[in-house]
Amino acid sequence: MQNNIQWFPGHMTKTRRLIEENLKMIDVVVEILDSRIPYSGRNPYFNDIIKNKPRLIVMNKSDLADPKRTKAWIDRYEKQGVRVIPISCATGTGVNKITAEARALIQDKLDRDREKGRTRTLKIMMVGIPNVGKSSLINRLAGRASAKTGDRPGVTKGKQWIRLKGDTELLDTPGILAPKFEDQEIAKRLAYTGAIKDEIMNTELLAYSLCSYLALNYPELLCARYKLDSVDGLEGYEILERIGKKRGFVISGGEIDTERSANMVLDEFRSAKIGNITLETPEDIENF
């Protein structure tokens, strides 16, 4: 891609401060990841902020991801001592395990309080990058529309405390990305999934790059979705043009409307119409 992807929204600094200020009252941090980008979808600053606070990783959108790759990532994180639960806010799969798993992480504290005759409210903080599904998850857990949701980054603007059943409270926080992307491959993966607003992107360049990745890693799915005979040896822009031609996206002079094709491919990737796809494996990440 020609231009480096950068992201400097003002609320990111404010959100980091919000997390730091509220962390002392929190028992467990639930970090929500997009199952399609289990590494690129982690803000490296969270480790600096959260430090040794008990943490549970929730891999959302598992219904959109490659199940074999999801299992590989769960194995890798759990070898590092981090408990992981794959879930889908869309279907509800796995959601009911979260509070029990979070409670288990501080069971010793809960038992000590019980021995002293105290009833402890479990306080959970939800963190994650934009558009990962934090608010949708909270609404699932609460059984009502407690948090604002939307299929775009930046919907949650401030902190929200939500009371759940069973002496549990959740603190929702706005999505926060790193202010600078040193690795442009990570930036592209974030953009593919919609974690970065499309308005600041060149969607055609992004779709070219996505088509190239899919041609190398999921060629059967790509060919089946767009009725292509083969994508062997094709560049991303060539694949996108062939997709546009197949779909009849032709403008005056017989030219292919690649912008329309690009928007369609990105939308269909994000909704898993192309198939269940994960954009990285543990082996892809050097020095993980």
Side-chain angles (χ1 to χ4, degrees):
M1 298 177 70
Q2 295 177 349
N3 297 320
N4 284 358
I5 301 170
Q6 300 294 348
W7 178 252
F8 296 97
H11 78 272
M12 295 298 181
T13 300
K14 181 180 178 183
T15 300
R16 175 169 179 157
R17 190 160 52 244
L18 182 154
I19 292 172
E20 290 172 334
E21 289 172 352
N22 287 275
L23 201 58
K24 289 181 181 179
M25 69 180 75
I26 297 298
D27 296 307
V28 177
V29 175
V30 173
E31 182 181 358
I32 307 174
L33 305 182
D34 185 325
S35 293
R36 298 167 298 178
I37 46 170
Y39 177 81
S40 299
R42 300 191 79 186
N43 187 328
Y45 286 176
F46 285 145
N47 287 334
D48 296 336
I49 300 169
I50 296 167
K51 295 184 171 65
N52 295 322
K53 185 70 68 171
R55 188 187 321 196
L56 175 66
I57 288 180
V58 170
M59 289 178 60
N60 189 26
K61 306 186 183 184
S62 60
D63 55 317
L64 307 180
D66 181 334
K68 290 183 179 179
R69 291 188 173 188
T70 296
K71 184 180 184 305
W73 278 106
I74 291 172
D75 291 345
R76 179 52 91 59
Y77 279 126
E78 292 195 338
K79 284 178 181 176
Q80 296 179 342
V82 182
R83 183 75 179 98
V84 183
I85 304 174
I87 71 161
S88 167
C89 287
T91 65
T93 302
V95 171
N96 60 358
K97 298 178 181 178
I98 293 172
T99 53
E101 291 287 351
R103 196 174 293 275
L105 292 176
I106 61 159
Q107 192 61 53
D108 290 347
K109 291 182 180 179
L110 294 173
D111 291 343
R112 285 197 297 271
D113 284 347
R114 190 178 297 109
E115 289 172 3
K116 296 175 182 177
R118 301 173 185 166
T119 299
R120 184 187 186 94
T121 298
L122 175 66
K123 293 184 180 289
I124 297 173
M125 178 186 285
M126 294 281 188
V127 300
I129 66 169
N131 204 33
V132 77
K134 293 189 312 303
S135 297
S136 295
L137 174 56
I138 287 174
N139 291 340
R140 276 275 187 183
L141 290 168
R144 61 187 185 278
S146 301
K148 296 178 181 178
T149 64
D151 188 22
R152 56 188 174 85
V155 174
T156 303
K157 298 298 184 183
K159 70 176 184 179
Q160 303 179 80
W161 277 103
I162 295 98
R163 186 87 181 183
L164 305 182
K165 296 178 182 177
D167 296 321
T168 302
E169 290 183 356
L170 294 177
L171 176 60
D172 186 18
T173 60
I176 176 172
L177 285 170
K180 185 178 181 181
F181 301 124
E182 301 293 345
D183 186 334
Q184 285 297 295
E185 288 304 313
I186 287 177
K188 285 190 286 187
R189 291 172 196 146
L190 289 165
Y192 296 151
T193 61
I196 300 173
K197 292 181 179 179
D198 286 338
E199 289 85 347
I200 69 168
M201 308 299 305
N202 183 321
T203 55
E204 288 182 67
L205 289 178
L206 195 63
Y208 293 162
S209 181
L210 177 58
C211 284
S212 293
Y213 180 86
L214 296 178
L216 288 173
N217 292 273
Y218 294 95
E220 298 87 356
L221 294 180
L222 189 62
C223 288
R225 178 63 186 172
Y226 298 112
K227 296 180 172 57
L228 305 174
D229 294 331
S230 174
V231 289
D232 289 348
L234 297 180
E235 299 289 341
Y237 74 90
E238 294 174 307
I239 296 170
L240 195 65
E241 286 181 344
R242 293 192 182 192
I243 289 172
K245 186 175 181 180
K246 283 284 187 180
R247 289 296 175 94
F249 298 163
V250 182
I251 53 181
S252 59
E255 186 179 349
I256 304 299
D257 188 344
T258 51
E259 181 179 1
R260 186 179 176 190
S261 299
N263 289 329
M264 179 193 66
V265 167
L266 290 170
D267 287 344
E268 294 198 346
F269 163 74
R270 292 168 185 168
S271 61
K273 289 180 180 176
I274 299 174
N276 292 78
I277 293 165
T278 298
L279 297 171
E280 54 199 10
T281 69
E283 292 74 26
D284 292 334
I285 309 302
E286 294 182 1
N287 303 317
F288 176 72

